[in-house]
Amino acid sequence: MTKHRLNRFLGADGKCFDVAIDHGFFNEPGFLSGIEDMRDAVATVAQAQPDAVQLSPGMARHLQAIPGKDKPSLVLRTDVANIYAKDLPQYLFSQIVENAVEQAVQLDAACLCVNLLLMPNQPEVHAQCVSNIARLKPEADAAGMPLMVEPLVMQDNAKAGGYMVNGDLALIRTLVRQAVEMGADVIKADPTDDVAEYHKVVEAASGIPILVRGGGRVSDAEILQRTTDLMEQGAMGIVYGRNVIQHDHPAAITKALMAIVHEGMSPEDALAMMQDLSS
């Protein structure tokens, strides 16, 4: 049954663009930019028809209430953490919601998403994430629910600000491999500083599809070019949040990114298409 749901999550070509709109789950004021009105944000992205939309249990209703068959699949975010601020609190956690798999089944999700965090000098957070995955995996398998693990190698919050990617190849590749060893059905991974080395991360995943996260907001030209480069390195897709939901034209950038992921459109043609849709 896991394969059945993966067929609903991934495109017919095995590739995927998942739009992450789960940022409000993490209690950071800056994460609400562009998604203050979740009903409008979800409706706008759903109309642009990415493969999937990533939402928390409390917000999944806005996607699943849309009538008809022609809408993105739901990826259910299962864990909430307090590790995203520049100034970290004294007590850190990454906590999965209760009965996450049962909630996913009830919400007709096609996939679960859970973090595997690696933060400087915070081994207890990594240990919590390992425990979360170990708990979720057998429950997800029993329900035929794919598990997307999100191995994130983060920079020091005090130096780089919250939620900033450490693009070190060795660290990313090793953490991706740990996620695969723990049974991930899909990987949502960091980009590397040198995109030309990303095939080594794909290799470490040993056949498990890798979707690359977008990170902080960058220019349209940069995100389109980076997406093209990552797909050429063997990534099977992308999971972008802020580069879509904080965009002036989220539907247009979604369609442009879908064209790169599924059609192999050049970044130049995708940019021109996006600009036409935005005018």
Side-chain angles (χ1 to χ4, degrees), residues 9 16-23 33 35 41 45-46 50-55 75 77 113 148 150 152 163 165 187-192 195 198 210-232 235-247 250-261 267 270 274:
F9 170 53
C16 182
F17 178 20
D18 173 17
V19 178
I21 321 182
D22 54 356
H23 299 71
S33 177
I35 56 170
V45 169
D51 297 294
V53 174
Q54 189 167 299
L55 293 161
V75 176
R77 162 65 67 181
C113 182
M148 178 163 64
E150 186 171 352
L152 301 183
Y163 206 26
V165 172
I187 296 288
K188 173 186 173 184
D190 291 319
T192 49
V195 177
Y198 208 77
I210 286 189
L211 311 180
V212 188
R213 81 177 182 109
R217 185 84 167 86
V218 296
S219 70
D220 295 339
E222 181 176 345
I223 199 66
L224 295 172
Q225 183 65 59
R226 187 199 305 167
T227 303
T228 298
D229 294 342
L230 288 165
M231 297 300 294
E232 290 176 350
M236 294 303 289
I238 51 176
V239 184
Y240 291 173
R242 286 166 288 177
N243 282 289
V244 174
I245 62 180
Q246 293 179 357
H247 198 279
I253 189 67
T254 297
K255 290 181 180 296
L257 289 165
M258 282 289 284
I260 290 175
V261 169
M274 191 201 72

Side-chain angles (χ1 to χ4, degrees), residues 18-26 31 53-60 74-81 83-84 94-101 103-104 107 109-117 129 132-133 136 145-152 163 188 213 239:
D18 173 17
V19 178
I21 321 182
D22 54 356
H23 299 71
F25 207 24
F26 302 114
F31 282 4
V53 174
Q54 189 167 299
L55 293 161
S56 64
M59 291 296 186
L74 169 65
V75 176
L76 189 70
R77 162 65 67 181
T78 64
D79 52 348
V80 60
I83 51 84
Y84 300 105
S94 182
Q95 176 72 45
I96 58 172
V97 299
E98 290 297 319
N99 302 318
V101 175
Q103 290 193 60
L107 289 165
C111 191
L112 297 173
C113 182
V114 62
N115 276 321
L116 180 59
L117 301 166
C129 292
N132 290 342
I133 296 167
L136 277 175
M145 183 66 64
L147 183 63
M148 178 163 64
V149 178
E150 186 171 352
L152 301 183
Y163 206 26
K188 173 186 173 184
R213 81 177 182 109
V239 184

